[in-house]
Amino acid sequence: MGTSDVNANSSSSSLVKDFLHKCGGVAVIDGGFATELERHGADLNDPLWSAKCLLTDPHLVRAVHLDYLEAGADIILSSSYQATIQGFKAKGYSIEESESLLKRSVEIACEARDVYYKRCRESSSDQSTDGKVLKQRPILVAASVGSYGAYLADGSEYSGEYGDAVDLKFLKDFHRRRVHLLANSGADLIAFETVPNKLEAQAFVELLKEEDIKTPAWLSFNSKDGVNVVSGDSLSECAAIGESCEKVLAVGINCTPPRFILDLILSIKQVTTKPILIYPNSGESYDGIRKEWVSNTGITDED
């Protein structure tokens, strides 16, 4: 490892430590993006899911980012979770157009942050009359990278069952260009989200090294039993992959029923000293055939 690599890793590590210190030790990540887009009137019945709005309704994407900032979020994620070059090409867009849309997802998030800061400067207090938080504070933009299963749009990011043809090389080749583009898009972080198995976690970590990615990243897994990731791979082993990579600054859990979160945090803490990310779902399960979330957890909305 060269001196420049050491300096890059050191500055990346201090980025998150300084950020968390300024946030009082705990930072708030934004919430469900597609749910809020639909609340604003977007129709997401499409293989591109929320990434469709990069094409049809970019103003709604910006509006949702602003909503979360005004609700107090310290970290906002770009609407690129399901945005892939392969997915855009399947919809008839050229490689150049597809790459531009990926970068645009981060640009919109950064624009929303700029608009928010402007509103903060124009406000006379930290709280507006309608209860919105208008507080000048550190805000990070994370470029979201969904798993291979998200691109398939068949619910396999909730199973991790990709088939024998999908190996480490395949996954690295699939994600390589997108990761490179998003790493150079102006985002503060790369958020590898809803990682369903150990193989894809390894692919992401190796890409960070092979592509000499300077932008730091986080790894976030999902679980349906509170013990393992959805593929059945050990969560501890998956989290340890993140711990082993200096470019990964935090490890955690997303899109997982709230009742599992405590045990999962304890499991992650056994293998990493890095900050832990937690952003669960509502406790519902995703039906990949019906393309909708179904409630079958036996837990009430109030709980």
Side-chain angles (χ1 to χ4, degrees):
M1 179 181 288
T3 304
S4 60
D5 293 325
V6 173
N7 291 338
N9 289 328
S10 176
S11 61
S12 295
S13 179
S14 63
L15 165 76
V16 169
K17 289 180 181 176
D18 292 347
F19 174 70
L20 284 173
H21 178 72
K22 290 174 182 175
C23 291
V26 176
V28 178
I29 306 171
D30 64 8
F33 208 85
T35 307
E36 292 303 310
L37 283 172
E38 289 176 331
R39 197 191 304 272
H40 279 275
D43 177 10
L44 303 183
N45 185 19
D46 189 278
L48 290 176
W49 198 37
S50 57
K52 173 190 174 188
C53 289
L54 291 170
L55 302 161
T56 59
D57 302 288
H59 63 290
L60 295 185
V61 175
R62 189 179 299 104
V64 171
H65 286 315
L66 271 168
D67 285 347
Y68 274 120
L69 291 173
E70 291 177 343
D74 303 305
I75 303 171
I76 55 174
L77 284 84
S78 66
S79 57
S80 50
Y81 174 80
Q82 204 139 340
T84 62
I85 295 169
Q86 298 89 335
F88 286 132
K89 283 178 65 180
K91 298 287 285 187
Y93 291 89
S94 68
I95 291 178
E96 292 76 14
E97 289 170 326
S98 302
E99 293 183 349
S100 177
L101 284 165
L102 272 171
K103 290 185 283 189
R104 185 70 185 127
S105 70
V106 174
E107 289 170 1
I108 293 173
C110 291
E111 288 168 6
R113 177 172 59 182
D114 291 342
V115 171
Y116 177 78
Y117 280 149
K118 182 173 182 289
R119 292 181 182 179
C120 289
R121 290 192 297 270
E122 294 170 349
S123 175
S124 57
S125 70
D126 288 352
Q127 203 85 12
S128 65
T129 54
D130 52 7
K132 294 178 179 177
V133 176
L134 294 174
K135 181 181 179 183
Q136 193 80 24
R137 64 190 187 279
I139 293 167
L140 297 182
V141 170
S144 173
V145 176
S147 66
Y148 174 64
Y151 155 74
L152 295 176
D154 62 359
S156 57
E157 73 262 48
Y158 305 112
S159 70
E161 297 171 1
Y162 292 163
D164 294 339
V166 176
D167 58 13
L168 187 64
K169 181 182 183 302
F170 177 96
L171 288 172
K172 287 196 291 186
D173 289 345
F174 175 83
H175 288 295
R176 190 179 305 276
R177 182 59 180 160
R178 173 167 65 149
V179 170
H180 185 80
L181 281 168
L182 290 174
N184 293 283
S185 63
D188 302 297
L189 295 160
I190 304 171
F192 295 117
E193 301 189 272
T194 326
V195 183
N197 55 41
K198 192 163 64 171
L199 183 70
E200 197 153 21
Q202 190 65 41
F204 286 139
V205 163
E206 291 189 14
L207 277 180
L208 291 174
K209 297 174 182 176
E210 291 172 8
E211 295 297 309
D212 192 26
I213 301 297
K214 297 293 190 283
T215 306
W218 80 45
L219 274 177
S220 187
F221 302 91
N222 58 340
S223 173
K224 55 189 176 186
D225 63 6
V227 178
N228 302 306
V229 298
V230 292
S231 65
D233 290 341
S234 161
L235 173 62
S236 295
E237 292 179 9
C238 289
I241 291 173
E243 171 66 15
S244 69
C245 179
E246 290 183 322
K247 296 182 179 182
V248 173
L249 302 187
V251 180
I253 292 290
N254 74 297
C255 207
T256 294
R259 69 186 187 278
F260 294 143
I261 295 301
L262 177 58
D263 287 342
L264 293 170
I265 292 174
L266 296 175
S267 177
I268 293 171
K269 286 184 73 171
Q270 291 179 358
V271 295
T272 184
T273 57
K274 296 179 180 182
I276 295 177
L277 308 146
I278 297 297
Y279 48 123
N281 59 22
S282 64
E284 297 171 313
S285 298
Y286 188 75
D287 187 322
I289 297 175
R290 291 160 57 186
K291 308 288 187 193
E292 63 184 38
W293 291 92
V294 294
S295 181
N296 63 356
T297 61
I299 293 181
T300 66
D301 288 344
E302 286 151 351
D303 289 337

